[in-house]
């Protein structure tokens, strides 16, 4: 059984224009146990897509100046080089939860100080209801901007997050947008095959 927790990017700091991320600390009463969900999921990369057959989703892998790295609490995380902007996917599953997307989005930003939501709107991500938030705030006395997409299905919630210093935010935003909008739900428990792949 998994217990849903929300990671907050409160350990992000900027040094010489580069954003660094030490850890994403789980916040709130519900965050009793830190689970590395990918350890028990049947996930793999095929034809440029990260595919999770157990939880039923796929998402394109960031390349061309992005380096994948281990970030505790995430299923997938990338850092831009140069620049240090961070893009990450968080997935948590604990069965159906009647929590509105706006509340899920709000919990995602625990730990960010002096928050100002610049824009927030419901959208569709490949047919799945989601909420997009553009936010600015402070982390460890450093100004940051955040773009996030939060979606859910019957069992899981999906948080796609991009964090960058304001002066570097636009540089990699289009790539994050393609990453986020490439996320799509697939049939749970199946080995999704990207068209044209030779996966057996």
């Amino acid at each position: 059984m998994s217990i849903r927790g929300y990671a907050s990017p409160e350990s992000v700091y900027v040094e010489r224009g580069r954003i660094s991320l030490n850890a994403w600390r789980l916040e709130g009463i519900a965050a009793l146990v830190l689970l590395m969900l990918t350890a028990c999921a049947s996930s793999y990369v095929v034809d440029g897509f990260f595919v999770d057959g157990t939880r039923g989703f796929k998402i394109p892998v960031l390349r061309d100046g992005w380096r994948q790295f281990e970030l505790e609490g995430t299923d997938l995380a990338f850092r831009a080089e140069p620049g240090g902007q961070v893009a990450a996917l968080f997935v948590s599953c604990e069965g159906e939860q009647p929590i509105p997307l706006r509340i899920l989005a709000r919990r995602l930003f625990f730990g960010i100080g002096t928050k100002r939501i610049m824009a927030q709107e419901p959208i569709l991500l490949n047919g799945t209801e989601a909420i997009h938030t553009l936010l600015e705030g402070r982390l460890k006395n450093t100004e940051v901007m955040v773009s996030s997409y939060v979606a859910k299905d019957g069992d899981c919630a999906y948080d796609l997050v991009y964090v960058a210093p304001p002066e570097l935010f636009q540089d990699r935003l289009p790539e994050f947008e393609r990453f986020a909008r490439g996320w799509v739900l697939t049939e749970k428990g199946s080995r999704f095959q990207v068209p044209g792949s030779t996966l057996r």
Side-chain angles (χ1 to χ4, degrees):
M1 179 181 71
S2 63
I3 300 177
R4 181 180 174 94
Y6 289 88
S8 63
E10 64 176 9
S11 296
V12 177
Y13 65 92
V14 176
E15 181 179 0
R16 294 182 181 176
R18 292 178 56 85
I19 190 165
S20 300
L21 204 147
N22 292 334
W24 291 64
R25 191 161 57 87
L26 292 176
E27 301 280 349
I29 299 246
L32 301 177
V33 178
L34 177 63
L35 297 174
M36 293 303 293
L37 294 174
T38 50
C40 59
S42 72
S43 60
Y44 49 94
V45 175
V46 57
D47 290 354
F49 284 84
F50 177 87
V51 181
D52 190 315
T54 300
R55 289 172 292 182
F57 71 90
K58 72 181 182 78
I59 190 168
V61 173
L62 284 170
R63 295 176 175 171
D64 300 328
W66 292 87
R67 181 177 61 84
Q68 187 173 350
F69 71 107
E70 295 292 326
L71 181 60
E72 192 174 41
T74 69
D75 287 70
L76 201 58
F78 300 91
R79 180 181 288 114
E81 296 180 346
Q85 300 95 322
V86 172
L89 167 68
F90 300 83
V91 184
S92 56
C93 304
E94 64 168 1
E96 188 168 357
Q97 291 290 319
I99 303 175
L101 287 172
R102 288 186 182 275
I103 301 301
L104 293 179
R106 185 183 307 164
R107 292 182 179 182
L108 182 64
F109 302 121
F110 286 172
I112 299 180
T114 60
K115 294 182 287 287
R116 184 172 77 90
I117 293 179
M118 303 167 67
Q120 188 172 72
E121 61 178 351
I123 65 162
L124 287 179
L125 280 179
N126 290 310
T128 301
E129 289 185 4
I131 188 165
H132 176 234
T133 305
L134 185 63
L135 174 144
E136 62 180 11
R138 293 182 66 84
L139 294 171
K140 299 289 186 181
N141 297 317
T142 298
E143 299 290 334
V144 294
M145 290 187 67
V146 180
S147 178
S148 73
Y149 290 87
V150 177
K152 64 178 180 175
D153 61 11
D155 300 310
C156 302
Y158 305 86
D159 303 323
L160 298 107
V161 183
Y162 173 67
V163 184
E167 67 275 13
L168 298 176
F169 183 78
Q170 292 293 336
D171 293 354
R172 297 285 189 161
L173 182 60
E175 294 158 87
F176 170 72
E177 287 292 320
R178 289 193 292 272
F179 173 72
R181 292 178 180 274
W183 170 86
V184 64
L185 292 175
T186 62
E187 184 179 350
K188 282 180 167 54
S190 67
R191 289 181 63 82
F192 178 86
Q193 185 165 339
V194 177
S197 76
T198 57
L199 183 68
R200 294 289 188 268

